[in-house]
Amino acid sequence: MNFLLSILALYYFFLLGRSSLIILNLKMSKTQVIDDFKIFDTKIPIFYPLIGLFVFGNILFIFNFFTPLNSINLKIVLILILFFNLYNFKNILKNTSNLLTLSIFQLIITLSIFNINFQYDAGFYHLNYQNWIKTEKLVVGLSNLHTPFGLSSISDYIASMFWFGNNFALLHLPSIIFLTVLLTFLSFHIFKSNNKFLKNSSILIIFFGILDNFGFNGGLNGFITISGIIKPDLPFAILFYLFTLLFLNGLIKKSFSIYEINFLSLLLFFSFQYRITSIYLFPFLLFTIFNLVRNKEFKLSQLKMQLTYIVLFGLWIVKSFLLTSCLLYPITFTCLNTKWGNNRNAVNFTDESREFNFAFDINQNFLEWFREWIVQNSNSTILKNFVLSFFIILFISYFFSEKLEDQIVLNFVSKCFIVYTILGFLLIWIFGAPSFRFLYGSILFSISCLTLLKKRLNLKNYLNSKYILTILMFASAMLIPRLDSYKSFFDNPLELKVLEVETVRYIEGDGNWVYPEKGDQCWINKKCIPSSVQVEEEKLLSFKAFTK
């Protein structure tokens, strides 16, 4: 049953992504069949599920300005969009190979659902925030009830539609689909692509994924890890990696098609909706678009799709402002004094988050901070394994490869982008929240850049064998689910995974509010807040509001 539901979810988002592009294609009066499109030497159907997730999440996000997400009309809209797939339906058969590859990886990663569990933040704020948006349209000042509500990402909008009665295991399905798209992308470039940069970077990534399972204390080297239900770390890492990799590929080629620019904008904005960290990459994309227009490679009229992203960005800022009184929460200088808030919540949250994640302070001695940071959690294990894996990958990329005649020379902009992306993220990470789970995407990008050490390399024939690469590809995929997931699967392969929230006892608080008797996890209870707050409920225009 887990496999069936997982495949149905994959096919839904595949068709939603395809129908969304058909609508866009018809609006632009294009005659080319979308299934024939290629972006960055990659067949566009590979990205259909990812595009579908983007469209799905943003439809929900926009609707929530006007209606709760349990609206039946919303669900009808999400189904009706699929009927656009009937347009040029016979061409859907062209996707058989890609859909088969997606399905195989989807089934493999679905094994992880057999032993999935909640991560702490699910009970702390994710599920209760989803409860609010399912039953209420956007609530002004909601973060006054619980500060982390201000962190709401697109993941909460998407996940809110995967509640299955009292069973929350299906909330894991979007993360599975993200991993499936990544693995299919890597597989395509390993076996079918003529793009040597993307091919060899994909090979190094699967090597790195395999090495994640070996090393000090059993492994973990910074490769993407399945943490638990509703962690946005995994989708953000994949979106960040795909954007930086494909953008660098465009810089290397010194050319971008309008479709590639539109897709890069989707990846970057989608990653921003998961975590605002990626906003530091916006200038590079905007600078590139400006140069393309200035050099007359594009006309302004061809950039109509960018207006959609600008509108969505504006709406996302409005959503953040209404929830928190900050344009970009929790960046304190973006906060304004309003009836429902100021920068106090953002300051308190930032201080608590930095302390919890052991962030570096400019007034600290770096070496003293590092000695204390390295003993926190599993930092020492992951760092040692990353360094070990990095040098193994470096060894493979340098000594088991050979230069091609058509070498490339990285131009100044490409070099700047690599340095800016890696060092920029590292600085944000060290000063913000130096936990390795926030670094996955940057680590993958760093590993991919090793393919450029010899300018343009080609793995030697005995490593470039399809048989060896097939084994490595499947090994990398099958090692992503944990061993205990395999054990649970073999114990009962037909079982529907059931994951229910904990039973919580509440105590009466101020007014109509209640508190958890133990700890600070409310789980699913709109009347529950983790601690006492002084708020008033009122109406602002047509919105419910909580003001201080």
Side-chain angles (χ1 to χ4, degrees), residues 179 182 205 208 212 220-228 231-242 244 275 378 382 386 425 429 433 435-448 482:
L179 272 170
L182 175 64
I205 292 299
F208 187 68
D212 182 58
L220 292 181
N221 63 3
F223 187 72
I224 294 171
T225 301
I226 296 174
S227 303
K231 274 282 188 186
D233 309 329
L234 187 153
F236 172 78
I238 291 171
L239 291 166
F240 181 93
Y241 171 66
L242 288 174
T244 52
R275 188 161 284 142
S378 55
I382 297 176
F386 169 73
F425 198 96
W429 181 71
S435 172
F436 272 102
R437 65 189 178 91
F438 300 125
L439 203 59
Y440 294 153
S442 184
I443 287 174
L444 294 185
F445 178 67
S446 303
I447 296 298
S448 290
R482 296 172 180 173

Side-chain angles (χ1 to χ4, degrees), residues 180-197:
T180 292
V181 171
L182 175 64
L183 291 169
T184 305
F185 172 82
L186 297 176
S187 175
F188 175 83
H189 284 287
I190 289 172
F191 297 108
K192 297 181 180 180
S193 176
N194 293 319
N195 186 314
K196 291 299 180 183
F197 170 61

